[in-house]
Amino acid sequence: MGFYGFILVFVGGGLGSALRHGTNLLALRLVGGAYPLGTLAINVLGAFVMGVVVEWFALKTSLPQSARLFITTGILGGFTTFSTYALEVGMLYERGDWLASVLYALGSLVLGVAALFAGLGLVRMVACLLYTSDAADDMQC
């Protein structure tokens, strides 16, 4: 599919990202920002839609690969990568590899959150080294 595939993912990803932003804004307006309900809704809805779409494509094999790429990697990937994560966990389980499914699910969660904190720590450490002592005191270096 080559370059055309990248264009499909690019356009679909933009649409999905706009949908994610709109969903987050709607959730903020409806319930406030004390809890990330918008992101929770996006993750659950994205995973559900991914399940529907993938199964539909499996049953309707006459649909072109470009449509699959546009919807799954593009729109749903832009809406939430959690849908892809959920699909991959499910595919490993469906293939009968439940151990790999559990390890992937837990590994992605634990390592992803650990990587987030490592990134936060790295930036804080570099910032403390680069800024003056007054600014460093404000950053709790």
Side-chain angles (χ1 to χ4, degrees):
M1 190 165 306
F3 185 70
Y4 179 64
F6 281 96
I7 297 298
L8 289 172
V9 170
F10 174 75
V11 172
L15 292 171
S17 294
L19 287 169
R20 180 179 67 235
H21 182 61
T23 303
N24 270 323
L25 290 177
L26 179 64
L28 281 171
R29 190 171 286 162
L30 294 176
V31 297
Y35 185 79
L37 190 60
T39 301
L40 177 64
I42 287 164
N43 288 340
V44 172
L45 180 61
F48 174 77
V49 172
M50 180 66 86
V52 168
V53 167
V54 167
E55 189 63 18
W56 179 262
F57 285 158
L59 297 174
K60 295 288 204 173
T61 56
S62 63
L63 291 172
Q65 179 62 23
S66 58
R68 297 173 192 200
L69 189 61
F70 177 71
I71 295 171
T72 58
T73 305
I75 295 174
L76 288 174
F79 187 62
T80 172
T81 56
F82 185 82
S83 60
T84 303
Y85 163 75
L87 174 65
E88 290 168 345
V89 169
M91 295 300 284
L92 288 168
Y93 180 81
E94 289 282 318
R95 291 182 196 149
D97 200 346
W98 67 270
L99 181 59
S101 177
V102 169
L103 289 174
Y104 179 72
L106 292 176
S108 293
L109 177 64
V110 171
L111 293 173
V113 172
L116 170 88
F117 281 107
L120 291 172
L122 175 65
V123 170
R124 288 174 184 158
M125 182 181 70
V126 170
C128 285
L129 293 173
L130 295 177
Y131 291 109
T132 64
S133 61
D134 291 338
D137 290 341
D138 291 341
M139 290 185 281
Q140 300 176 350
C141 293

